[in-house]
């Protein structure tokens, strides 16, 4: 495995996007792309900052030898502020349905893990791993395939603000939240899948909007 492959695999292992890495280090995203494509290699302060962001030993990044997390004393603390980067909890779809309705936050020990996002979201934001293909658009964008991570913000003003956007909603009688496009057409509201093989669902008085999707994170 070459250095660029180690950088990419470690980033994916930590579920970090190139945008997040670039903000943590303080470089342009194109630079991170260049490191991962092998066009050039990080060195000096950038190597130290990259190792800190990837939580690994810089020597392992350079040579591939040893344990990536061994001798972490060799990694200097990242001097760059995490400006524009927020850590949000990755939770289950059942927890999502209870996120703002239970009256108390879910304790950290019950999170599946945490995700870094560059989206501008509130402190109530959370992330979900997409299941199924109801939001996979066979005709192109937008499309949110299974395995994608969606970053959701419950802090929005009204259903009108969510109109036309991808939302996480809780249907009355269901134990889990669902991911759909929210559409208001006159007096009627709908949850619309992006996959035309699934039927739209009319929701009037039997649906609670949990939050609006602010970012979709997926591997290409």
């Amino acid at each position: 495995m070459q250095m660029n492959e180690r950088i990419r695999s470690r980033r994916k292992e930590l579920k970090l996007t190139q945008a997040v890495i670039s903000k943590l280090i303080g470089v342009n995203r194109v630079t991170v792309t260049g490191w991962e494509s092998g066009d050039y290699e990080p060195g000096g302060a950038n190597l130290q900052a990259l190792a800190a962001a990837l939580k690994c030993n810089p020597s392992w990044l350079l040579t591939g030898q040893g344990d990536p997390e061994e001798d972490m004393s060799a990694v200097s603390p990242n001097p760059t502020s995490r400006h524009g980067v927020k850590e949000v909890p990755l939770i289950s779809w059942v927890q999502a349905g209870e996120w703002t309705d239970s009256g108390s936050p879910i304790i950290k020990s019950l999170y599946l893990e945490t995700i870094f996002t560059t989206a501008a979201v509130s402190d109530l934001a959370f992330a979900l791993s997409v299941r199924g293909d109801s939001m996979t658009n066979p005709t192109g964008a937008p499309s949110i395939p299974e395995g994608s991570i969606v970053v959701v913000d419950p802090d929005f003003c009204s259903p009108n603000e969510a109109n036309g956007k991808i939302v996480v909603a809780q249907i009355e009688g269901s134990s889990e939240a669902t991911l759909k496009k929210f559409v208001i057409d006159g007096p009627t509201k709908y949850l619309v899948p992006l996959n035309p093989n699934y039927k739209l669902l009319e929701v009037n008085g039997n649906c609670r909007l949990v939050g609006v999707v602010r970012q979709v994170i997926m591997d290409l």
Side-chain angles (χ1 to χ4, degrees):
M1 185 183 290
Q2 300 299 312
M3 183 179 184
N4 64 303
E5 296 172 317
R6 288 191 290 276
I7 294 172
R8 177 176 170 79
S9 65
R10 183 66 176 175
R11 175 180 63 78
K12 290 168 69 68
E13 180 185 344
L14 296 176
K15 294 182 172 60
L16 299 171
T17 64
Q18 289 184 347
V20 167
I21 290 294
S22 67
K23 285 184 177 292
L24 290 176
I25 298 173
V27 299
N28 192 289
R29 181 176 176 177
V30 174
T31 300
V32 179
T33 301
W35 291 341
E36 292 194 359
S37 65
D39 291 340
Y40 36 88
E41 296 182 349
N46 280 343
L47 176 61
Q48 289 289 329
L50 177 61
L54 295 178
K55 301 178 182 178
C56 67
N57 190 320
S59 178
W60 175 80
L61 281 179
L62 286 170
T63 66
Q65 297 178 1
D67 187 326
E69 297 182 11
E70 185 179 359
D71 191 18
M72 290 297 289
S73 61
V75 181
S76 300
N78 189 352
T80 304
S81 171
R82 291 183 175 180
H83 177 68
V85 177
K86 182 177 288 251
E87 193 172 7
V88 298
L90 178 69
I91 62 175
S92 73
W93 288 89
V94 171
Q95 289 173 319
E98 304 169 347
W99 190 250
T100 57
D101 200 41
S102 63
S104 59
I106 297 172
I107 60 176
K108 190 170 184 179
S109 62
L110 297 180
Y111 297 169
L112 300 177
E113 56 185 288
T114 56
I115 297 293
F116 287 104
T117 176
T118 55
V121 293
S122 72
D123 291 339
L124 294 174
F126 59 89
L128 293 163
S129 179
V130 177
R131 303 178 305 184
D133 63 350
S134 68
M135 295 300 283
T136 301
N137 186 351
T139 63
S143 183
I144 310 176
E146 184 171 21
S148 303
I149 300 294
V150 290
V151 177
V152 185
D153 195 348
D155 188 10
F156 64 99
C157 296
S158 67
N160 286 332
E161 182 186 338
N163 184 28
K165 297 180 180 179
I166 307 298
V167 303
V168 170
Q170 177 81 8
I171 305 297
E172 186 177 312
S174 174
S175 62
E176 297 187 0
T178 186
L179 180 72
K180 295 292 184 289
K181 183 177 181 180
F182 181 65
V183 175
I184 300 176
D185 185 8
T188 309
K189 301 178 179 67
Y190 299 94
L191 292 180
V192 182
L194 297 180
N195 189 333
N197 292 325
Y198 291 79
K199 294 181 179 180
L200 59 80
L201 179 64
E202 182 177 329
V203 287
N204 288 294
N206 64 337
C207 171
R208 179 176 63 88
L209 297 183
V210 177
V212 176
V213 172
R214 301 300 186 189
Q215 185 178 38
V216 179
I217 302 171
M218 68 180 78
D219 291 328
L220 299 178

